[in-house]
């Protein structure tokens, strides 16, 4: 599944871009094209199993990436 928290925007509050850029709704920030490529199901990526951001948002403790801390400072 394509991440439901990823969208593409061609502007932000301050700038207009000449092309759409990937934006993570969870992080409330633009992400790299490489990150977006993974989020769009590249290489059998599973959001619930592999994505720290997705896991942190949903806080499903029994499926957390090993070593992931839910503290904001990680």
């Amino acid at each position: 599944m394509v991440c439901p928290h990823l969208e593409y925007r061609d502007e932000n509050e301050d700038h207009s871009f000449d092309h759409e850029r990937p934006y993570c709704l969870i992080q409330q920030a633009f992400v790299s094209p490489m990150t977006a490529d993974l989020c769009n199901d590249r290489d059998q990526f599973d959001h619930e199993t592999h994505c720290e951001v997705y896991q942190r948002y949903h806080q499903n403790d029994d499926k957390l990436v090993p070593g992931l801390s839910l503290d904001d400072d990680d």
Side-chain angles (χ1 to χ4, degrees):
M1 101 177 161
V2 173
C3 183
H5 305 291
L6 181 69
E7 64 182 33
Y8 288 83
R9 298 182 177 185
D10 60 4
E11 63 184 3
N12 66 12
E13 298 83 27
D14 302 322
H15 299 93
S16 204
F17 309 118
D18 58 348
H19 62 280
E20 291 183 329
R21 296 180 179 190
Y23 185 86
C24 176
L25 297 171
I26 296 173
Q27 297 180 68
Q28 297 181 3
F30 288 95
V31 296
S32 74
M34 181 182 284
T35 299
D37 194 33
L38 288 172
C39 294
N40 283 322
D41 289 339
R42 179 75 170 219
D43 196 31
Q44 301 175 354
F45 186 80
D46 178 60
H47 307 284
E48 293 180 6
T49 306
H50 302 122
C51 180
E52 295 176 359
V53 174
Y54 188 97
Q55 291 177 5
R56 182 178 292 126
Y57 180 76
H58 293 281
Q59 294 188 6
N60 192 350
D61 294 334
D62 62 337
K63 294 185 179 179
L64 292 178
V65 169
L68 174 66
S69 170
L70 292 178
D71 297 331
D72 288 337
D73 60 351
D74 62 331

